[in-house]
Amino acid sequence: PEIDRKVKEMSSELGKGNTYPELNRKLAQYELALEKFMNENLGGQSYAAFANKCWPAFEKYFGHVPCYVNSRLAARGIPVACEADIYGALSEYMAVCATMKPPAILDINNSVPKDMYQENKKDIGDYTLEDLWMGFHCGNVSVSCIVQPVMQHQLIMHRLMEPGKKPDITRGTIEGQIKSGPISVFRIQATPDSEIQAYVANGQVLNINPKSFGSIGVFAVNEMGRFYRHVMIEKRFPHHTAIAFDHAAKYLFAASKMLGVEDVYFNHPKGMLYPSENPFR
């Protein structure tokens, strides 16, 4: 009976995007299994977060990808980080606490093509090309944060795991353009020296068609190019970043400091150099 209830929920939530209705029963069963595991292991705690394996070992055993289920749990304030990313789950959970909104975990995937920048200047405003980047993941963003969510299959996995075949075990992603609006990027992470560091910045998702697959959007953060080079790469942060769907940098910075994190990095404005930045132009 609980599986039937979940299937109805999923069908209603997806609406026209319910492209694989026969898959929902498997997804519902998986969601119930995660809920059961969570409830049996909460102990004295009130909240939970998952850092789950998702590929390439998951699909052949379960017959689907976990992305849509991950997005549904996140919508309830139970973040699920992809690829067994434990610090990603913690970062997402802090984003939930700061905003009381569904979080996401995305790859800081690549830069925005120059022609896309030129075509959308009116929607970009004062941001430069180097301020823009693509935020992407297979399909884990909650449907409330996507313009027209559609259940799909994971394109890369399909090429690797089901080449030349109709998608089957790679189905279950949620795809679509991420809704425009304010966001913060945040990551708390252990260093190789067993210290904890973090970064945070406010930004926004722009109303631009990213022309790609997955849960994806064109993101803007002031001075992102410098921030990416002198913080994310230089300080060896992973490519996953937690997305808070609001401007929450003030609270995430303060919370990190309260937790005893000494190094909390942020995007320096123009004219404020990073310690390693060359002052000679």
Side-chain angles (χ1 to χ4, degrees), residues 201-255:
N202 285 333
Q204 66 183 106
V205 185
L206 300 176
N207 186 24
I208 295 173
N209 180 2
K211 300 181 182 179
S212 191
F213 67 98
S215 299
I216 189 167
V218 176
F219 286 70
V221 169
N222 285 321
E223 299 296 320
M224 179 65 182
R226 296 168 58 231
F227 184 50
Y228 185 71
R229 175 175 179 171
H230 294 285
V231 173
M232 296 180 182
I233 293 178
E234 184 178 314
K235 303 302 179 183
R236 302 181 184 179
F237 282 98
H239 68 293
H240 279 174
T241 192
I243 304 295
F245 285 97
D246 210 340
H247 280 166
K250 174 181 177 180
Y251 312 109
L252 291 165
F253 184 96

Side-chain angles (χ1 to χ4, degrees), residues 86 99 107 139 186:
I86 294 173
T99 63
D107 294 350
F186 174 67

Side-chain angles (χ1 to χ4, degrees), residues 85-110:
D85 180 0
I86 294 173
Y87 279 102
L90 174 59
S91 302
E92 282 189 282
Y93 174 67
M94 291 176 69
V96 173
C97 293
T99 63
M100 302 305 290
K101 294 180 179 180
I105 193 159
L106 299 179
D107 294 350
I108 299 177
N109 211 48
N110 57 354

Side-chain angles (χ1 to χ4, degrees), residues 138-212:
C138 306
N140 63 1
V141 177
S142 300
V143 296
S144 63
C145 302
I146 294 180
V147 176
Q148 290 181 318
V150 178
M151 184 177 287
Q152 288 288 3
H153 65 277
Q154 213 293 333
L155 186 64
I156 300 170
M157 291 187 212
H158 179 249
R159 288 173 182 163
L160 294 172
M161 304 174 75
E162 303 176 298
K165 298 179 182 178
K166 187 177 179 181
D168 181 20
I169 64 173
T170 55
R171 297 179 301 165
T173 62
I174 285 297
E175 300 210 356
Q177 178 181 330
I178 297 172
K179 289 181 179 178
S180 59
I183 57 94
S184 294
V185 293
F186 174 67
R187 180 81 194 191
I188 191 166
Q189 182 72 30
T191 70
D193 299 325
S194 301
E195 299 295 331
I196 300 290
Q197 60 180 3
Y199 70 70
V200 66
N202 285 333
Q204 66 183 106
V205 185
L206 300 176
N207 186 24
I208 295 173
N209 180 2
K211 300 181 182 179
S212 191

